Amino acid sequence: MVKRRIYGLMAEFTSPEEVLAAAHTTHDAGYRRIDAFSPIPVEGLAEAVGFDWTILPTLVFFGGLGGGLTGFGMCWYANVISFPLNIGGKPFNSWPMWIPITFELTILGAALTAVFGMLALNGLPTPYHPTFNVERFAAASTDRFFLCIKARDQKFDLAKTKAFLEGLHPNGVFEVED
Amino acid sequence: MASEDSHNTVGVADPDPIIGPGHTFETVTDKISSIVLTRPVTPGWVFGLLIAFSALMLLNLVVTLLMIKGVGIWGIRIPTAWGFAIVNFVWWIGIGHAGTLISAILLLLHQKWRTSINRFAEAMTLFAVMCAGMFPLLHMGRPWLFFYLMPYPNPMWMWPQFRSPLVWDVFAVSTYLTVSLLFWYVGLIPDLATLRDRAKPKAAKIIYGMLSMGWRGSAVHWSRYETASLLLAGLATPLVVSVHTVVSFDFTIGIIPGWHTTIFPPYFVAGAIYSGFAMVLTLAIPIRKFYHLEDLVTARHLDIMAKVMLATGLIVAYGYLLEAFLAFYSGDQYEIYMMTNRFHGPYAPLYWMLISCNIIIPQLLWSRRVRRNVGLLFVLSLVVNTGMWLERFVIVVISLSRDFIPSSWGMYYPTRWDWATYIGTFGLFFTLFFLFIRFLPMISIVEVRSLVHETNEEKGHS
């Protein structure tokens, strides 16, 4: 039998509070490359595994700005530069008339950035991920909570880390094959 | 912390809960996903789908005929060039608005009761906007040239008329469709992952796996996901208000009596939410019965929706009142004539039906007993849907058929093809809806799980 590489170790918990406490303990113990998995968003869990900042809102702001400028620019360009029509001496750049389109494209730009930015930052779609090799992991989308310490972590040592995770009183500890 | 047994379990203390007692993560997941994964195909579902599909084929027929013969098969004749097509467009798009209200505005307001109805309300939005979008396209006469509406580089060197509300509509409605679709899909991703993990057949596993994009519930992913959802909700809220405002601009920018008024945008938005909630009730009441979801879509949900309907109905009533007042207050003979023409002109019966359906009959909702009577509520939701359709008919047809000069007046009568088109879009709507409830979780599993968790936590604290 070929010995498979190890992606990390995973511990299973029953409740959000347990996994949250375990994540804090693990982070305090000096582990940095950790992740937690849950069937519902758990408040504070991302911070507990060391995630504190996302660029997403900034991206969305610029997405909206880009959309808005496109909308206004398009109307302005069409009516002032590309195809100006003098209708009773009315101004070419009748900007209040551009507002609805500017507004709609602002929203469109921001919404597209929010969705595709979120997916891109999360690295989705990910058809294959080592965590799926753990049979019990299917329960992570129903009612079980998992904490994973990755093998890439500097402090990672198969035996010691396993003992550490078992000390957190999980339902079980599993090796994640890469 | 609570003991293992009671954890994630909803107790029975709340006399009027928004989720039935005794639910755990496991039971809600099982209950909602089993409708998709394990429930056998029932004759009722097949029968419903067949009826809807027949109506969809009718739409197919009408559209083909329309392509061959032109819009003359409809009853639209000058002066009434906007017949059923625009009435139905505004009606369908209005229905969509409740879905966005429930999924976006109520999310921002932390209304927990929205969790179990938002998924199918959003689906309703999506399908209703699809039906709505068909009408302006078909009404163009040459639908195959619809791309003229888009600003694209073309050898004619022409641009769309960016000063026209009809072009604003193109941007508003297509943005609305796109954002609704994205919002709906983002909400579905974690649920699709649940289906992927619970599905037995390999094909289902692969399809749901592809659709869920490999979602694994990572805490970091959840964090960005929640940020994105909140941002989307914040963006969808002004969007939904803007869409029906732009739809009302289609009328208000014109100088036709009865259209050129500033009350239109707010009163259109209120009317949209009014009819949308009526449609949510029309759909929710049979679904919760046939799929035994009474403990997820509870009597309390129906009660709250009825109250929203009552409130928005009163705003609409205020709109009607002010519309009539302003017509007389303006002193403008055409405006005054438009109003008296509504009261006792040739279409007066429709106006009075509208007043009864939208204002008088819904006052029954003040009574708690009516709001708790599921059958009666269902009937009332149909009444409001009819009323809101009549409202758009009254606005479009009465004003157009008699504008300024009596010599240019003319009556509008819908033809059977008008009715066939309308019925056909019901076919499209319900076909999509029947497929949706079989192939996707119609209630958000993740949000109901969170609700179970929160309800449990509150009990722990109290």
Side-chain angles (χ1 to χ4, degrees):
Chain A
M1 205 181 101
V2 187
K3 178 100 170 105
R4 298 287 303 268
R5 276 184 52 204
I6 295 289
Y7 170 80
L9 281 168
M10 202 181 247
E12 179 192 313
F13 298 92
T14 316
S15 78
E17 291 81 8
E18 282 172 17
V19 78
L20 190 59
H24 277 298
T25 317
T26 312
H27 199 264
D28 292 345
Y31 289 101
R32 285 298 172 265
R33 294 190 183 275
I34 54 179
D35 201 354
F37 303 90
S38 58
I40 56 165
V42 178
E43 209 180 319
L45 192 56
E47 288 78 6
V49 298
F51 176 82
D52 52 2
W53 182 79
T54 172
I55 197 172
L56 190 61
T58 321
L59 288 181
V60 170
F61 173 78
F62 284 105
L65 194 67
L69 289 176
T70 310
F72 195 94
M74 180 174 68
C75 296
W76 173 82
Y77 176 77
N79 287 285
V80 178
I81 308 287
S82 171
F83 210 120
L85 277 173
N86 188 337
I87 300 164
K90 286 177 185 163
F92 295 137
N93 186 26
S94 55
W95 67 267
M97 304 301 262
W98 317 151
I99 297 303
I101 290 178
T102 306
F103 177 80
E104 300 300 339
L105 289 188
T106 306
I107 300 281
L108 185 65
L112 289 173
T113 318
V115 174
F116 291 104
M118 182 271 286
L119 292 176
L121 292 171
N122 282 348
L124 298 175
T126 313
Y128 171 80
H129 195 269
T131 47
F132 293 124
N133 293 333
V134 177
E135 211 168 299
R136 281 293 300 162
F137 190 67
S141 65
T142 303
D143 59 351
R144 288 292 181 265
F145 300 77
F146 291 85
L147 182 72
C148 179
I149 303 180
K150 297 173 193 169
R152 283 186 297 152
D153 195 293
Q154 288 188 335
K155 247 192 118 194
F156 189 85
D157 175 278
L158 193 57
K160 279 188 199 158
T161 308
K162 198 169 203 169
F164 170 77
L165 280 176
E166 266 158 6
L168 299 171
H169 311 294
N171 297 351
V173 176
F174 312 96
E175 287 181 13
V176 187
E177 288 180 356
D178 202 358
Chain B
M1 211 187 72
S3 71
E4 171 91 42
D5 276 355
S6 69
H7 188 77
N8 300 339
T9 310
V10 179
V12 283
D14 191 349
D16 196 12
I18 46 177
I19 182 166
H23 270 303
T24 64
F25 280 20
E26 173 71 28
T27 59
V28 292
T29 310
D30 201 51
K31 181 146 195 170
I32 303 168
S33 65
S34 68
I35 294 172
V36 177
L37 296 174
T38 53
R39 189 184 160 96
V41 175
T42 53
W45 180 81
V46 174
F47 183 67
L49 181 67
L50 274 180
I51 293 178
F53 193 72
S54 318
L56 176 60
M57 288 302 105
L58 180 66
L59 181 68
N60 221 338
L61 179 75
V62 184
V63 173
T64 312
L65 194 70
L66 192 85
M67 298 273 188
I68 297 168
K69 293 198 158 184
V71 285
I73 62 167
W74 287 342
I76 46 175
R77 302 283 181 272
I78 299 298
T80 314
W82 282 12
F84 264 32
I86 306 304
V87 175
N88 295 341
F89 163 67
V90 182
W91 186 74
W92 273 120
I93 204 144
I95 281 173
H97 282 36
T100 319
L101 182 96
I102 291 169
S103 62
I105 302 180
L106 298 183
L107 176 77
L108 296 178
L109 296 175
H110 295 290
Q111 293 297 307
K112 283 184 199 155
W113 58 273
R114 60 177 276 287
T115 49
S116 54
I117 53 171
N118 76 331
R119 173 68 49 71
F120 66 79
E122 279 178 53
M124 176 193 83
T125 296
L126 208 55
F127 305 152
V129 175
M130 287 177 189
C131 292
M134 303 214 45
F135 283 103
L137 291 182
L138 296 176
H139 189 253
M140 288 192 303
R142 291 187 290 169
W144 51 92
L145 296 179
F146 72 95
F147 55 87
Y148 279 18
L149 291 163
M150 292 291 164
Y152 72 103
N154 61 72
M156 299 175 288
W157 284 52
M158 297 287 277
W159 288 92
Q161 172 54 285
F162 291 127
R163 292 187 180 95
S164 162
L166 301 179
V167 172
W168 301 348
D169 243 359
V170 175
F171 283 88
V173 174
S174 51
T175 300
Y176 188 44
L177 183 66
T178 314
V179 174
S180 305
L181 180 66
L182 289 174
F183 204 3
W184 187 63
Y185 186 68
V186 165
L188 270 168
I189 292 174
D191 282 1
L192 290 167
T194 301
L195 291 182
R196 168 199 68 203
D197 292 341
R198 297 175 77 89
K200 294 279 179 292
K202 194 155 172 89
K205 260 186 152 20
I206 291 174
I207 293 170
Y208 288 124
M210 301 265 258
L211 289 173
S212 67
M213 296 190 171
W215 179 263
R216 51 189 187 276
S218 153
V220 177
H221 290 188
W222 272 123
S223 173
R224 291 201 193 95
Y225 177 90
E226 293 251 280
T227 308
S229 303
L230 218 55
L231 286 170
L232 277 177
L235 292 165
T237 302
L239 175 65
V240 68
V241 175
S242 85
V243 171
H244 228 59
T245 302
V246 168
V247 169
S248 80
F249 285 166
D250 291 345
F251 298 92
T252 54
I253 301 279
I255 53 161
I256 301 291
W259 288 7
H260 198 56
T261 159
T262 49
I263 186 97
F264 263 32
Y267 134 62
F268 263 54
V269 174
I273 293 165
Y274 188 34
S275 66
F277 267 88
M279 196 53 134
V280 176
L281 279 173
T282 310
L283 296 171
I285 290 171
I287 285 179
R288 74 195 274 273
K289 180 157 174 57
F290 290 131
Y291 289 92
H292 309 291
L293 296 169
E294 284 93 343
D295 50 348
L296 293 177
V297 183
T298 61
R300 171 109 178 269
H301 283 100
L302 303 183
D303 183 82
I304 297 171
M305 285 193 271
K307 281 180 187 162
V308 176
M309 227 163 78
L310 180 61
T312 45
L314 290 173
I315 303 176
V316 170
Y318 174 76
Y320 295 155
L321 201 70
L322 222 69
E323 206 178 21
F325 170 75
L326 285 173
F328 291 105
Y329 186 70
S330 72
D332 181 279
Q333 73 174 93
Y334 303 111
E335 290 286 336
I336 294 171
Y337 179 74
M338 180 277 300
M339 216 58 219
T340 46
N341 186 35
R342 277 189 190 176
F343 292 157
H344 29 244
Y347 295 109
L350 294 180
Y351 182 74
W352 294 113
M353 257 173 82
L354 144 74
I355 296 295
S356 349
C357 287
N358 273 1
I359 302 185
I360 299 169
I361 301 172
Q363 299 312 315
L364 287 170
L365 293 171
W366 286 101
S367 150
R368 187 183 148 88
R369 272 176 49 208
V370 173
R371 293 198 306 269
R372 295 282 165 157
N373 183 331
V374 177
L376 199 54
L377 206 53
F378 183 69
V379 174
L380 275 174
S381 74
L382 293 178
V383 167
V384 171
N385 275 321
T386 316
M388 285 308 294
W389 188 85
L390 288 167
E391 180 203 293
R392 278 67 180 251
F393 186 90
V394 162
I395 291 172
V396 171
V397 173
I398 296 188
S399 284
L400 277 178
S401 62
R402 293 192 170 180
D403 54 6
F404 301 99
I405 313 170
S407 64
S408 72
W409 289 357
M411 289 292 285
Y412 166 79
Y413 300 104
T415 65
R416 59 189 151 158
W417 298 113
D418 276 303
W419 288 107
T421 325
Y422 185 38
I423 294 166
T425 49
F426 274 105
L428 176 63
F429 181 83
F430 282 105
T431 304
L432 290 168
F433 211 86
F434 272 107
L435 294 174
F436 159 69
I437 55 179
R438 268 316 300 205
F439 291 105
L440 292 170
M442 66 175 122
I443 293 177
S444 170
I445 307 175
V446 166
E447 292 198 34
V448 174
R449 266 191 226 126
S450 299
L451 183 69
V452 169
H453 180 61
E454 279 168 32
T455 317
N456 182 59
E457 262 194 341
E458 271 166 25
K459 276 197 205 340
H461 290 307
S462 61

